[in-house]
Amino acid sequence: MTYTIIYDKDHCTAAHRCMGVQPKLWGVDGEKKAILRGGQLNPRTGKYERLIEEAELAAFKESALICPAYVIDIVDTDTGKSVLNLKPTKKEEKESVPVIKAHYDSRKEWAMDPKGFFTIKPFYEEQLIRMRYYGEDHALKFLIEGKSAEEIYNTVVRENLVSTFQHAAYVGCELMKAEIAMKKNLPYVQDDPLP
Ligand code: SF4
């Protein structure tokens, strides 16, 4: 059996997930967009295509399913149908999985991380975010600085500075708010919504 990889490069958001999991299949161009290795531009559709064998299907599926922009599809060459279930409609989503209504009561549900806490501040002129890490004894232990939420929260994880999922999620969320505020020149106050 053969399959056609169809890659819509115009709508690639350069999130780099595909090449992260399958670097042999995906490269990167000067605009940081993904390149389908061995792919050919189809001038009719404007998308890149590559014919693959069954043996390569699993690796391509992994990179397609991890793409947050849904720009990689895999089509069965015989039937012309996609072998992925990309972009299910709202109706299909509702019918196939239970819906959990999100809720949160910070007074009851927030739990202090025994490993400590952080304060976060963007520095607009330098385009840097600085984050102070206070340990379990409430003493300042580290100053972490970086240009993006992503590089800072990955440093936090690498240095093992959080011990609960809730705290890790909070740190990622606050850092992203700080990055948006810094880039858009908006005021940032930790724990408050952006204006
Ligand atoms: S994962 Fe998708 S959006 Fe991200 S670089 Fe690859 S193709 Fe582009």
Side-chain angles (χ1 to χ4, degrees):
M1 246 174 149
T2 60
Y3 302 88
T4 306
I5 308 301
I6 301 176
Y7 166 49
D8 182 2
K9 188 177 177 190
D10 285 348
H11 292 99
C12 166
T13 55
H16 296 181
R17 303 273 168 78
C18 53
M19 56 199 82
V21 293
Q22 292 293 341
K24 289 189 179 153
L25 306 181
W26 301 92
V28 62
D29 73 4
E31 293 178 327
K32 299 209 163 62
K33 291 194 175 198
I35 295 172
L36 171 59
R37 296 191 197 280
Q40 299 286 328
L41 179 65
N42 180 334
R44 194 177 50 79
T45 62
K47 296 178 182 174
Y48 286 81
E49 297 182 357
R50 178 178 157 186
L51 199 66
I52 63 159
E53 303 289 334
E54 185 86 41
E56 299 165 283
L57 180 61
F60 270 105
K61 256 190 177 178
E62 184 185 20
S63 50
L65 290 172
I66 207 168
C67 172
Y70 304 109
V71 295
I72 306 166
D73 200 0
I74 304 175
V75 168
D76 182 321
T77 315
D78 290 336
T79 65
K81 289 198 172 150
S82 173
V83 299
L84 306 175
N85 181 25
L86 293 178
K87 290 188 188 174
T89 64
K90 290 272 174 279
K91 187 164 175 285
E92 283 170 338
E93 270 178 1
K94 279 202 163 174
E95 280 169 1
S96 59
V97 292
V99 176
I100 299 172
K101 291 271 183 223
H103 59 87
Y104 176 55
D105 181 341
S106 61
R107 289 163 306 170
K108 291 187 189 152
E109 293 179 66
W110 173 256
M112 276 300 290
D113 186 341
K115 279 219 158 170
F117 61 94
F118 300 90
T119 61
I120 296 165
K121 195 168 175 191
F123 289 78
Y124 298 80
E125 278 192 14
E126 294 170 89
Q127 286 290 291
L128 270 182
I129 301 167
R130 292 199 170 92
M131 190 161 97
R132 290 167 180 261
Y133 167 60
Y134 297 84
E136 63 271 42
D137 55 357
H138 289 206
L140 180 63
K141 306 284 184 191
F142 297 111
L143 178 65
I144 304 170
E145 63 178 29
K147 290 188 178 307
S148 71
E150 189 176 36
E151 61 184 27
I152 299 177
Y153 67 63
N154 276 294
T155 302
V156 167
V157 171
R158 194 183 316 115
E159 297 290 331
N160 203 17
L161 303 181
V162 286
S163 67
T164 67
F165 290 131
Q166 187 185 46
H167 195 202
Y170 165 82
V171 166
C173 186
E174 279 302 320
L175 284 168
M176 186 48 76
K177 272 168 49 192
E179 181 179 338
I180 292 167
M182 184 175 75
K183 291 188 170 155
K184 304 262 181 199
N185 206 23
L186 298 168
Y188 169 79
V189 179
Q190 190 169 340
D191 295 333
D192 281 0
L194 287 175

